[in-house]
Amino acid sequence: MSIKPQRGEIWLVNLDPTIGAEIKKTRPVVIVSSNTLGKLPLKLVVPITDWKDSFINNLWHVKINPNSHNGLTKKSVADALQTRSIDLTRFIQKLGNLSSEKLQQINTAIVNLIEYEHEN
């Protein structure tokens, strides 16, 4: 069976093995890569972890409240600082879909992290 994770979907994935401070374990991620790019079986994802009040002012953390649409079960946060490309073999199960508003907030967090400035 061939899985085809799509931009904006939340999937449960296996992030192990990891090194150092990289987010680990089996956990949800949101897919941020385009559906039209790439020939390799890779997706660019942002890991999701438990929400902590200390994250409130961090530009790279996007708070996500659980609902029936996204499939999350507790207050969570997308950690844009941990954005990475992962192989499709790490994907376990689709949990749900992220709202377009939250996906845009994650995009903004990534842009802030890389200090991107568009020149006209």
Side-chain angles (χ1 to χ4, degrees):
M1 180 178 120
S2 175
I3 62 166
K4 296 186 179 181
Q6 302 291 303
R7 179 175 168 78
E9 291 179 347
I10 296 176
W11 279 73
L12 192 62
V13 301
N14 179 1
L15 294 176
D16 288 331
T18 58
I19 297 173
E22 296 170 349
I23 246 176
K24 45 184 134 289
K25 300 190 302 186
T26 297
R27 69 175 60 249
V29 300
V30 61
I31 299 154
V32 295
S33 54
S34 170
N35 294 331
T36 61
L37 299 176
K39 295 186 188 262
L40 295 175
L42 300 170
K43 290 292 181 178
L44 188 62
V45 302
V46 174
I48 296 172
T49 191
D50 296 346
W51 171 258
K52 293 180 180 54
D53 289 338
S54 61
F55 295 160
I56 195 80
N57 293 317
N58 295 347
L59 296 174
W60 61 93
H61 285 136
V62 177
K63 186 177 184 181
I64 306 170
N65 288 316
N67 62 42
S68 60
H69 192 65
N70 62 34
L72 299 173
T73 58
K74 55 188 168 183
K75 281 187 198 174
S76 302
V77 63
D79 186 348
L81 189 57
Q82 297 272 356
T83 301
R84 69 180 87 169
S85 188
I86 63 171
D87 190 89
L88 290 178
T89 59
R90 291 184 177 270
F91 286 77
I92 298 168
Q93 170 186 352
K94 181 181 173 185
L95 299 178
N97 294 287
L98 197 62
S99 71
S100 57
E101 176 187 345
K102 285 294 175 186
L103 187 57
Q104 185 56 49
Q105 289 175 14
I106 292 170
N107 291 343
T108 300
I110 293 168
V111 166
N112 287 334
L113 280 170
I114 63 171
E115 297 183 5
Y116 176 79
E117 293 182 25
H118 180 70
E119 295 181 17
N120 293 328

